[in-house]
């Protein structure tokens, strides 16, 4: 029997789909955020503030002062941390234009990105021991380092005493706040996220901003004002207990972040991520009917998994 090839009445060009459009900044961000479904970025508290060595020593500034003259570098580092979950799995190096597209925004007064400004931001991060870059196939593969700037290798924080973290919701990217927040607003946001981890309010006195966080009084004032003007913050002056004060208390400014940065919103994100993780673990469990064939052998004890999504 003679085998005949199928014939087509349409030209070959009609058998293929039309050329697809190029990815734009919004679709790039949506695609990348979906690759890690947590809905937030985990950031060690050590990025904002060095914990005290003793009860009397007090906390010290950490990495924030390094970005006072290069706002872009801080945003870029947050982008690296947000995408590291899937980048580490894929072992992929992204072109400079791809990073720029992820960070770019067409909103008014948005932070601008060029090949030159991106290169300079990478250098700031390298100089501060927050990333390493290695040339692979004519592309620079980026690997994050520990948020403290110690140069130690990076591992996702697990919430242990030496690895306390706070979370930055994905709305920071989807609402393009990464492009429209000024440096003072971003610095204040990171401070308040860290300080309101586990409680609805956070203390940030402009008089103590330099001492504890390394940002100037004017930066703190501008950041607080900008956050309030944009509807992300409510502030009140209140007395807080202070055994060192003459009266046993002192007057300070307390601040409450609004959604999507509120404490309750962040806790809901973490709870949803925990439920997805538990459901995925249950579906893959050897004891779950239908997932694996029955075995007469005694199942091995499952390896303990650290719950790194717990709200602290």
């Amino acid at each position: 029997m003679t085998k005949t090839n199928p014939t087509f009445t349409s030209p070959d060009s009609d058998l293929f789909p039309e050329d697809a459009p190029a990815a734009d900044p919004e679709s790039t961000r949506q695609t990348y955020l979906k690759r890690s479904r947590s809905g937030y970025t985990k950031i060690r508290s050590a990025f904002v503030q060095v914990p005290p060595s003793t009860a009397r020593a007090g906390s010290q500034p950490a990495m924030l002062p390094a970005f006072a003259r290069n706002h872009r570098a801080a945003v870029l580092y947050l982008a690296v941390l947000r995408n590291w979950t899937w980048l580490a799995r894929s072992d992929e190096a992204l072109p400079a234009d791809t990073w720029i597209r992820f960070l770019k925004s067409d909103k008014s007064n948005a932070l601008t990105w060029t090949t030159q400004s991106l290169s300079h931001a990478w250098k700031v991060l390298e100089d501060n021991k927050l990333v390493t870059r290695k040339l692979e196939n004519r592309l620079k593969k980026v690997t994050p380092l520990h948020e403290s700037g110690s140069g130690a290798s990076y591992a996702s924080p697990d919430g242990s005493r030496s690895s306390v973290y706070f979370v930055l919701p994905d709305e920071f990217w989807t609402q393009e706040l990464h492009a429209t927040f000024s440096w003072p607003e971003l610095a204040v946001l990171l401070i308040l996220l860290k300080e309101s981890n586990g409680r609805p309010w956070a203390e940030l006195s402009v008089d103590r901003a330099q001492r504890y966080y390394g940002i100037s009084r004017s930066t703190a004032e501008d950041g607080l004002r900008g956050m309030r003007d944009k509807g992300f913050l409510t502030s009140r002056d209140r007395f807080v207990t202070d055994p060192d004060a003459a009266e046993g208390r002192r007057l300070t400014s307390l601040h409450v972040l609004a959604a999507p940065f509120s404490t309750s919103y962040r806790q809901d994100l973490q709870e949803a991520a925990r439920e997805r993780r538990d459901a995925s673990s249950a579906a893959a469990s050897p004891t779950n009917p239908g997932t694996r064939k029955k075995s007469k052998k005694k199942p091995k004890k499952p390896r303990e998994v650290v719950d790194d999504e717990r709200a602290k």
Side-chain angles (χ1 to χ4, degrees):
M1 182 176 177
T2 304
K3 184 178 179 180
T4 59
N5 293 324
T7 58
F8 300 97
T9 57
S10 300
D12 287 350
S13 59
D14 292 342
L15 302 177
F16 296 93
E18 295 294 330
D19 289 338
D24 59 17
E26 182 178 0
S27 65
T28 299
R29 283 189 291 271
Q30 289 177 348
T31 298
Y32 284 9
L33 296 177
K34 286 180 181 177
R35 291 178 180 176
S36 175
R37 298 190 306 156
S38 64
Y40 53 80
T41 308
K42 295 197 292 188
I43 306 168
R44 280 182 175 81
S45 298
F47 183 65
V48 173
Q49 191 177 55
V50 178
S53 55
T54 66
R56 292 288 298 175
S59 299
Q60 301 294 323
M63 296 308 304
L64 294 184
F67 305 114
R69 295 186 179 182
N70 196 302
H71 175 194
R72 291 180 180 85
V75 175
L76 181 58
Y77 185 63
L78 295 177
V80 172
L81 294 184
R82 182 60 188 91
N83 291 297
W84 182 242
T85 301
W86 69 267
L87 279 174
R89 290 195 305 263
S90 66
D91 197 31
E92 190 170 349
L94 297 180
D97 287 344
T98 303
W99 284 108
I100 290 173
R101 189 169 62 252
F102 180 88
L103 297 163
K104 186 179 178 182
S105 171
D106 292 329
K107 287 196 173 185
S108 177
N109 299 320
L111 197 64
T112 58
W113 288 90
T114 64
T115 303
Q116 183 177 4
S117 63
L118 178 69
S119 178
H120 183 55
W122 284 131
K123 187 177 186 307
V124 171
L125 296 180
E126 288 180 296
D127 289 347
N128 284 279
K129 299 180 180 179
L130 290 170
V131 302
T132 60
R133 292 197 300 158
K134 181 180 179 182
L135 187 63
E136 291 188 2
N137 297 323
R138 298 194 297 180
L139 292 176
K140 288 289 186 71
K141 181 182 176 182
V142 178
T143 301
L145 296 175
H146 195 279
E147 293 97 323
S148 64
S150 64
S153 59
Y154 176 83
S156 180
D158 58 15
S160 62
R161 186 174 181 180
S162 61
S163 191
V164 177
Y165 66 89
F166 60 91
V167 300
L168 176 66
D170 278 354
E171 282 82 354
F172 179 73
W173 306 103
T174 58
Q175 295 183 17
E176 301 183 50
L177 303 177
H178 69 283
T180 55
F181 271 13
S182 65
W183 165 241
E185 291 164 356
L186 178 56
V188 164
L189 172 63
L190 294 174
I191 291 170
L192 296 182
L193 287 174
K194 182 257 181 188
E195 296 296 346
S196 63
N197 205 17
R199 61 184 181 186
W201 55 268
E203 180 180 356
L204 175 55
S205 171
V206 295
D207 293 329
R208 298 185 171 204
Q210 180 71 49
R211 175 181 175 184
Y212 290 121
Y213 306 105
I215 64 172
S216 67
R217 178 191 179 100
S218 61
T219 296
E221 289 175 334
D222 291 346
L224 291 168
R225 186 185 308 110
M227 292 285 288
R228 285 192 292 265
D229 290 346
K230 292 180 177 179
F232 293 112
L233 187 67
T234 300
S235 304
R236 295 288 187 274
D237 288 338
R238 291 288 186 272
F239 281 102
V240 296
T241 301
D242 186 349
D244 294 332
E247 298 180 359
R249 65 176 186 173
R250 57 182 169 80
L251 184 66
T252 189
S253 296
L254 300 182
H255 312 280
V256 175
L257 288 164
F261 303 119
S262 65
T263 301
S264 60
Y265 188 86
R266 285 178 278 147
Q267 289 175 340
D268 288 345
L269 284 177
Q270 291 177 284
E271 178 62 25
R274 185 161 48 243
E275 290 176 355
R276 287 194 300 270
R277 186 195 64 244
D278 291 345
S280 178
S281 297
S285 172
T287 60
N288 188 28
T291 57
R292 292 186 183 180
K293 293 181 179 180
K294 291 184 178 180
S295 174
K296 294 182 180 180
K297 294 182 179 180
K298 186 177 180 180
K300 293 181 179 180
K301 183 179 179 181
R303 185 179 60 184
E304 181 179 358
V305 178
V306 177
D307 181 0
D308 63 354
E309 302 295 350
R310 289 178 296 174
K312 292 293 180 180

